[in-house]
Amino acid sequence: MDTEDYIAVEDTYNARNYEPLDVVLERGEGVWVWDVEGKRYLDCLSSYSALNQGHAHPRIRRAMVRQAAKLTLTGRAFRNDQLPLLAKELCELTGYEMMLPMNTGAEAVETALKAARKWGYEVKGVPDGQAEIIVCAGNFHGRTITIVGFSTEEQYKDGFGPFTPGFITVPYGDADALEASITPTTVAFMVEPIQGEGGVRVPPDGYLKRARELCDRYDILVIADEIQTGLGRIGKLLGSDWENVRPDVVTVGKALSGGYYPVSAVLADRPVLGLFSPGDHGSTFAGNPLGAAVAREAVKVLVEEGLIENARLQGEYLLGRLARIESDYIAEVRGRGLLTGVELKPDARGARRFAEALKDEGLLCKETHENVLRFAPPLVITREDLDWALERIEKVLTTL
Ligand SMILES: *Cc1c(COP(=O)(O)O)cnc(C)c1O
C-alpha cells in the first residue's frame, strides 16, 4: 500500500472529524518522522505538545516495554506499585500536595471542574446547584459536551447542545473583565497561560498575577490548564511559572507520557483534592500501572535531560529568527519557549497552503485557526535542526 491507498482506506472507513495533511507516517525518532514512502520530515507540531520528549524516546520506551511485560491494568479496585510513585514524584516536582490521575486532557479538565464545584459547595458555602466558573473567550479545554459548551468556537458546539450551565465567558487577557464578572457564587476561574489551540495567544504581562490577586480577594480557585503549556513546552516546568503564579488547581496531560500512552492528571492541595471521597469520581484506566510507569519516566526525561531549559533557549532563538523573516504575509510572530505562532495577514489566503508547502519541503506543522501557523517542535530539538527548519520556513513564507 502507498500513501494514496492509506488515505483512501482511512477516508472510507474513518469518520472525518479531522482534516490531516496528506502524509502517512510510519516511524519516528526524536524530532524526525518518516512516511510510508521513506521520506523524512521534521515534526514541528509534536502532536500538540504531547511529544515534548521527541518521538520514540528510548528511555520511555524501555520503561513502557518493561512494565508491559509485568502488569498493565488493575483497575482502581486494587492498588498497584506504580501509581503511588507517580503521585509522589509529580507532587514533589510541582509542589502540590495531591494528584488525581486520568487519561486524556479533557478528562483532567472535567475532573478539575468537578473539584472546583465541590470545593465551592463544601468549603466556600455556595448554595447547592449555583456554582459558577469563569472561562476565557478563545479557550480550548477539550471536546466533551460540557467543555465545548463553554467554547467560543461555534464549530465546536454546532449540533451538540444542550450544554452544561454554570459557565461565564470573559475576554482573555483582560483582568478588569474578570473582576466585573465575579459574583458571590463564582467558585473558579479557568485559564490557559498561553492559548495554544486559540492561536498561540500570549496574554499581556501581569495578567495571570492580577487574576491570581483577584481570585484571592474574592475567594475563588485559579485553575490553570497546563495541558499544552506545562511540562516544559514554554520554557518553564509550568506556564504559570513565567509570572510566578501558583494556581490552586493544575491540569497536565499530553507530554506527561511523552507520546506513548494517554496519561493526564489534576494537581492541587489537600483542601481541594482531599474533598473527593471513594465513589465520587473515577475511570477504569486512570492510574493504571502501565501509564504510571510511562509517565514517571517521561517526567524524569524532561527534567534530567534539561528539556525545559532547552525549550527556553531554543525558543528564544526560534522566536527571534521568525521575527526577522521579511515576508509580506506575516502580521505577527508570538509565543514563548517552543510554542510559537506566526499570524498571517488576510491576503495570505490562509495558513493551510503554507503548511502544505512546508510539508513538501520536509517540515510538518499545522495551521491553527484560519491564519496562524504554529511551530512547536519536540523540546529535544538542537540548534542545527532549528536552522534546518528555519531555512524552509523562511523560503516558504517569502516565495509562496
Ligand atoms: C489538548 C488540550 C486539551 C485536551 O486534551 P485531550 O487529551 O485532547 O483531551 C485540554 N486543554 C488544553 C490546553 C489542550 O491543549
Side-chain angles (χ1 to χ4, degrees):
M1 280 173 75
D2 64 10
T3 298
E4 301 289 298
D5 302 328
Y6 286 109
I7 291 171
V9 174
E10 178 170 329
D11 287 353
T12 303
Y13 294 103
N14 193 67
R16 297 215 190 174
N17 56 327
Y18 279 89
E19 191 187 18
L21 291 180
D22 284 342
V23 55
V24 180
L25 302 174
E26 73 169 4
R27 189 163 70 84
E29 195 182 313
V31 299
W32 299 99
V33 287
W34 285 263
D35 72 9
V36 289
E37 321 282 345
K39 184 176 172 191
R40 185 180 82 148
Y41 304 85
L42 200 155
D43 182 355
C44 274
L45 183 60
S46 311
S47 191
Y48 313 93
S49 300
L51 288 157
N52 286 0
Q53 299 88 339
H55 289 269
H57 195 289
R59 277 180 62 180
I60 310 173
R61 181 173 59 225
R62 273 196 298 278
M64 179 155 185
V65 169
R66 203 181 307 125
Q67 187 62 39
K70 283 173 70 183
L71 183 70
T72 56
L73 183 62
T74 55
R76 296 288 302 282
F78 314 119
R79 297 180 190 262
N80 69 69
D81 67 354
Q82 293 299 312
L83 175 59
L85 302 180
L86 172 63
K88 177 171 188 279
E89 288 161 10
L90 206 51
C91 285
E92 284 173 355
L93 179 69
T94 56
Y96 286 92
E97 291 173 0
M98 299 184 102
M99 165 197 107
L100 193 157
M102 292 300 282
N103 311 286
T104 64
E107 289 172 310
V109 170
E110 289 270 351
T111 304
L113 298 173
K114 279 188 176 179
R117 284 182 168 186
K118 212 175 199 7
W119 174 88
Y121 298 127
E122 295 186 12
V123 179
K124 184 166 177 171
V126 170
D128 196 32
Q130 292 183 28
E132 281 176 353
I133 293 174
I134 300 173
V135 299
C136 295
N139 70 70
F140 185 84
H141 298 291
R143 299 289 200 159
T144 65
I145 286 180
T146 289
I147 292 171
V148 298
F150 57 76
S151 170
T152 51
E153 196 66 35
E154 276 314 311
Q155 195 200 348
Y156 295 174
K157 316 166 70 146
D158 188 26
F160 300 130
F163 301 113
T164 311
F167 297 93
I168 312 287
T169 307
V170 296
Y172 185 60
D174 184 344
D176 293 331
L178 168 62
E179 181 165 23
S181 72
I182 291 170
T183 73
T185 56
T186 306
V187 299
F189 170 56
M190 181 161 69
V191 65
E192 298 157 83
I194 289 178
Q195 290 186 331
E197 299 313 298
V200 192
R201 305 244 160 233
V202 184
D205 282 341
Y207 172 59
L208 287 185
K209 223 183 189 83
R210 269 211 66 205
R212 173 75 274 180
E213 284 161 11
L214 288 170
C215 290
D216 282 339
R217 189 178 327 147
Y218 294 100
D219 195 20
I220 293 165
L221 299 178
V222 174
I223 305 173
D225 182 350
E226 297 265 10
I227 290 167
Q228 186 153 167
T229 51
L231 302 177
R233 171 51 59 185
I234 66 172
K236 302 271 183 185
L237 178 63
L238 296 178
S240 313
D241 293 343
W242 276 104
E243 292 198 19
N244 294 315
V245 160
R246 185 175 190 271
D248 302 289
V249 181
V250 170
T251 55
V252 286
K254 292 197 167 126
L256 185 53
S257 54
Y260 276 89
Y261 197 91
V263 183
S264 66
V266 176
L267 294 155
D269 288 338
R270 205 163 301 277
V272 175
L273 277 183
L275 297 172
F276 282 104
S277 305
D280 281 350
H281 186 52
S283 156
T284 302
F285 278 87
N288 72 73
L290 183 58
V294 165
R296 289 182 64 204
E297 194 66 17
V299 170
K300 283 190 190 120
V301 164
L302 268 181
V303 174
E304 290 169 14
E305 300 192 357
L307 301 187
I308 301 168
E309 180 69 4
N310 194 54
R312 201 175 54 73
L313 291 175
Q314 306 302 346
E316 264 168 32
Y317 178 73
L318 174 61
L319 207 58
R321 287 277 312 264
L322 287 173
R324 283 199 301 280
I325 294 178
E326 287 182 21
S327 160
D328 293 337
Y329 296 129
I330 298 179
E332 192 188 16
V333 170
R334 54 183 182 245
R336 200 165 262 165
L338 282 171
L339 182 56
T340 58
V342 175
E343 180 161 339
L344 304 178
K345 292 178 183 164
D347 63 5
R349 287 183 288 121
R352 178 75 179 197
R353 65 191 192 99
F354 294 89
E356 307 261 8
L358 283 165
K359 182 202 81 175
D360 295 336
E361 295 288 329
L363 185 148
L364 296 180
C365 69
K366 176 73 167 51
E367 78 277 8
T368 149
H369 284 232
E370 296 294 85
N371 57 351
V372 180
L373 279 169
R374 168 174 36 190
F375 298 108
L379 312 187
V380 294
I381 197 160
T382 60
R383 173 67 56 92
E384 197 187 354
D385 288 341
L386 263 188
D387 283 332
W388 188 96
L390 280 157
E391 210 174 290
R392 270 105 199 134
I393 294 167
E394 181 151 16
K395 176 177 166 197
V396 165
L397 281 169
T398 53
T399 61
L400 197 68

